[in-house]
């Protein structure tokens, strides 16, 4: 698993990468009550704001961690946003992306680097 | 501003694992490990303990309590003179244009009036009160203020002082709790039954620990305090009401008793009376209403409201909004023109560039649970 400084996790499987936000992020955000996901088939660029998360406290945006095409979104999460709090790296995943430049994965943080980031 | 102030319960909040934030110059608990959602639901189901020591506690004395009441009536459009000993009432400070300078609680405690004002308006309100002739204004700085709210509050407090159970909504009394002389009112800011407890600062932690030792009581932070009051349709000063809003616009006409209205025995005599009483009689041009956004996305303070989905000019804005855990969806309050204020009317809010419908809804969103 790889991570970004924006507290996303990326799990590559074949040529598809599943993306969510870390337990640390969901703890900081508090109870998540609404998630707006991108459209399947959308072509996105790294840094595009493609997900909106609303917690009881505030709205936050999640950026595309890689260039690529969104191949699937977690419709269960849209119906039950609390999944992101309950199982951040499992059932609370956000979307799957097919990277157009898989080498961008190398720019992501490994687990040690991410853990160092969040102290 | 300098260093943020701390309440007498600061160490307890930290011990309980609270996430602290600075609010109105005080370090306050935003939430505890339970989290905002569960804290909110716990308060509605059982009981929550809130530290509201940042709020201003003020005693007014004059030659007589009647004289103090008469003087205070020159600043608030409320029947203070008719407030019986042992009773509390919601009040408003108004300005010459009919706007709201603050909202407050005022109680007749026999030989004095006791006021609770908003933390952020404390300095303003004290200076405002000190303009009154013949009235001694005493800010209480050696007491904490706790709120115990929720359906279990009565049983919990009656364990410490059985008289608590005999109090009705908006009664005030002096009770001995954990050996401390406490000034207690049966009121709150959640829409639930409960009490607000002024306790000597050096006894506050012991009382809080005693209340928290009860299995029904959990500590509750400012996050859930805000969602609870929003579902209850209660105004937050500086957001839902301020100098630019009048009592009638804010749907707070109920706080102005007949005796202070046109043809009342003590009609007018407060700042902005002409505007305020005319609007109460004729109806305001705009009104604070409850709003239920369609779907799940919360619409928060500042979202512009449009009459039609494609209109260019907003007709109002949201002043408070978020997720209502008891409602199970987004809730908001805001101002709309009077012709759009009827429950059932659909207006449109702009969220992230999209126009989404909201339905005007009667307040409160959740039924009040007071002991009348």
């Amino acid at each position: 698993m790889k991570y970004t400084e924006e507290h996303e996790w990326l799990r590559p499987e074949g040529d598809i990468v599943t993306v969510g936000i870390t337990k640390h992020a969901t703890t900081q955000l508090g109870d998540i009550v609404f998630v707006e996901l991108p459209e399947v088939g959308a072509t996105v660029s790294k840094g595009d704001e493609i997900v909106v998360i609303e917690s009881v406290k505030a709205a936050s945006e999640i950026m595309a961690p890689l260039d690529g095409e969104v191949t699937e979104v977690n419709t269960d999460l849209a119906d039950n946003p609390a999944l992101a709090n309950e199982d951040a790296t499992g059932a609370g995943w956000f979307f799957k992306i097919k990277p157009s430049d898989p080498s961008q994965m190398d720019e992501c943080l490994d687990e040690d680097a991410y853990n160092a980031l969040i102290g | 501003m300098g260093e943020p102030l701390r309440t007498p319960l600061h160490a307890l909040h930290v011990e309980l694992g609270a996430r602290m934030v600075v609010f109105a110059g005080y370090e306050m608990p935003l939430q505890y490990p339970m989290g905002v959602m569960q804290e909110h639901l716990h308060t509605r189901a059982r009981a929550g303990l809130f530290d509201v020591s940042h709020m201003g506690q003020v005693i007014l004395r004059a030659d007589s309590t009647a004289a103090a009441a008469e003087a205070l009536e020159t600043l608030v459009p409320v029947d203070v003179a008719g407030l019986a000993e042992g009773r509390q009432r919601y009040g408003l400070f108004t300005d010459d244009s009919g706007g709201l300078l603050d909202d407050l609680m005022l109680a007749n405690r026999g030989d004095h009036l006791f006021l609770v004002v908003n933390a952020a308006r404390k300095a303003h309100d004290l200076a405002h009160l000190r303009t009154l002739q013949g009235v001694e204004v005493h800010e209480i700085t050696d007491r904490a203020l706790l709120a115990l709210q929720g359906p279990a509050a009565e049983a919990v407090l009656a364990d410490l002082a059985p008289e608590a159970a005999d109090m009705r909504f908006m009664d005030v009394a002096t009770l001995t709790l954990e050996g401390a002389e406490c000034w207690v009112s049966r009121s709150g800011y959640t829409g639930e039954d409960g009490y607000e407890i002024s306790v000597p600062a050096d006894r506050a932690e012991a009382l809080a620990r005693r209340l928290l030792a009860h299995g029904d009581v959990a500590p509750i932070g400012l996050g859930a305090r805000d969602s609870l009051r929003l579902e209850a349709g209660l105004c937050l000063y500086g957001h839902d009401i301020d100098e630019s809003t009048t009592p009638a616009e804010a749907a707070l006409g109920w706080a102005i008793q007949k005796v202070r209205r046109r043809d009342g025995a003590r009609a007018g005599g407060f700042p902005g009376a002409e505007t305020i009483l005319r609007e109460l009689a004729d109806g305001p041009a705009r009104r604070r209403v409850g709003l239920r956004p369609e779907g799940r996305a919360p619409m928060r303070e500042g979202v512009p409201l449009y009459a039609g989905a494609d209109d260019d000019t907003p007709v109002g804005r949201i002043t408070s909004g978020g997720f209502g855990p008891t409602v199970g969806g987004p809730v908001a309050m805001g101002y709309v023109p009077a012709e759009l204020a009827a429950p059932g009317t659909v207006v449109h809010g702009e969220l992230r560039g999209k126009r989404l419908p909201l339905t005007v809804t009667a307040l409160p969103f959740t039924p009040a649970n007071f002991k009348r």
Side-chain angles (χ1 to χ4, degrees), chain A residues 27-34 36 52 54-59 61 78-79 81, chain B residues 19 30-31 34-38 223 296-300 322-323 325 351-352 354:
Chain A
T27 303
Q28 291 297 312
L29 288 168
D31 300 300
I32 293 168
V33 297
F34 172 76
E36 190 174 282
V52 176
E54 296 257 7
S55 75
V56 284
K57 280 171 246 157
E61 275 95 29
D79 295 337
Chain B
R19 189 182 301 173
L30 176 65
Q31 64 171 80
M34 186 186 265
V36 175
M37 190 97 82
Q38 291 308 315
R296 293 191 66 99
M299 291 202 209
R300 300 179 193 271
F323 185 81
L351 189 66
R352 298 183 277 270
K354 281 182 237 164

Side-chain angles (χ1 to χ4, degrees), chain B residues 266-284:
Chain B
R266 297 192 310 285
F270 51 85
E274 196 183 324
T275 303
I276 290 168
L277 297 183
R278 186 186 62 240
E279 277 191 354
L280 283 176
D282 301 345

